[in-house]
Amino acid sequence: MAAPESPALDLGRLIGALERHGVEYLLCGGAAATAYGAERLTEDADCVVSRQRANLDRLAEAMRGLNARLRVAGMTDEEATMLPVHIDGATLADLSISTWMTDAGPFDVLAGLEAPDGHLVPYEELVERSSVLKGQGFDIHAAGLDDIIRAKERADRPKDREALPELRAIRDARARDQRVDPG
């Protein structure tokens, strides 16, 4: 559960900001799994973004509009707000993973998803297998379900292992549905 002083995830608001600024992103992790139909709740949004400098500049602008501040273990949101962090494309380019708190809730920015062999699969490769899913009044650009599953298998944390059976069942049901109705 999010700390009381931290805003809860408002996925529609977060995605709205990314869309308004033209950010090339793919939702991944628990929020994307929920969009695919998983029932497991998540408290943050994980996104893989295109590492092109212009895209990172647009991302920084969206994040500034959401009053982004670093999310740091052991610090309250109020303490983290006081850190001297300049959010711009150059700063984001230097970070392969960064964790933020925004007025729309917790937001993690990733350079890619880990493949089974440990290499980082970038946005440009992930977008080829991505899906556009319906949220509650908004579209979600999500990494492919197989990519999300592989990343969770690679991470191998308890929460990922717990989520995998449901994600595999959703993937298998989607595959069956596509074979039944190819049109």
Side-chain angles (χ1 to χ4, degrees):
M1 184 165 212
E5 73 275 2
S6 302
L9 179 61
D10 181 345
L11 191 57
R13 182 175 178 194
L14 178 63
I15 287 176
L18 297 174
E19 293 288 335
R20 276 191 307 281
H21 289 89
V23 177
E24 295 175 55
Y25 74 93
L26 294 172
L27 201 63
C28 56
T34 301
Y36 276 107
E39 293 184 14
R40 187 178 187 80
L41 298 177
T42 188
E43 296 175 352
D44 67 354
D46 302 317
C47 282
V48 173
V49 298
S50 167
R51 306 302 285 177
Q52 298 295 316
R53 180 56 183 271
N55 192 61
L56 293 174
D57 289 339
R58 292 189 299 271
L59 173 62
E61 189 175 337
M63 291 173 63
R64 287 191 305 268
L66 291 169
N67 297 310
R69 56 262 181 210
L70 282 174
R71 195 174 59 195
V72 181
M75 293 182 90
T76 66
D77 189 36
E78 185 176 320
E79 291 168 333
T81 302
M82 296 185 205
L83 293 173
V85 177
H86 182 71
I87 302 172
D88 62 11
T91 299
L92 293 172
D94 288 340
L95 304 170
S96 61
I97 298 175
S98 56
T99 59
W100 303 90
M101 179 56 68
T102 73
D103 291 350
F107 178 53
D108 298 346
V109 178
L110 313 172
L113 292 179
E114 274 196 59
D117 66 2
H119 86 276
L120 203 60
V121 182
Y123 170 87
E124 290 73 17
E125 187 175 329
L126 293 169
V127 75
E128 295 173 9
R129 298 181 297 274
S130 67
S131 295
V132 178
L133 307 168
K134 295 295 179 194
Q136 296 179 341
F138 53 91
D139 288 341
I140 297 170
H141 297 267
L145 192 51
D146 283 331
D147 288 314
I148 293 168
I149 289 170
R150 281 190 290 273
K152 287 190 172 296
E153 289 169 341
R154 173 73 181 163
D156 198 32
R157 301 171 297 188
K159 69 179 186 176
D160 296 311
R161 288 191 298 271
E162 291 170 14
L164 282 168
E166 182 181 28
L167 293 176
R168 290 178 183 131
I170 291 168
R171 176 196 58 200
D172 295 347
R174 290 172 65 93
R176 279 192 305 274
D177 291 346
Q178 288 177 344
R179 283 193 303 267
V180 171
D181 181 18

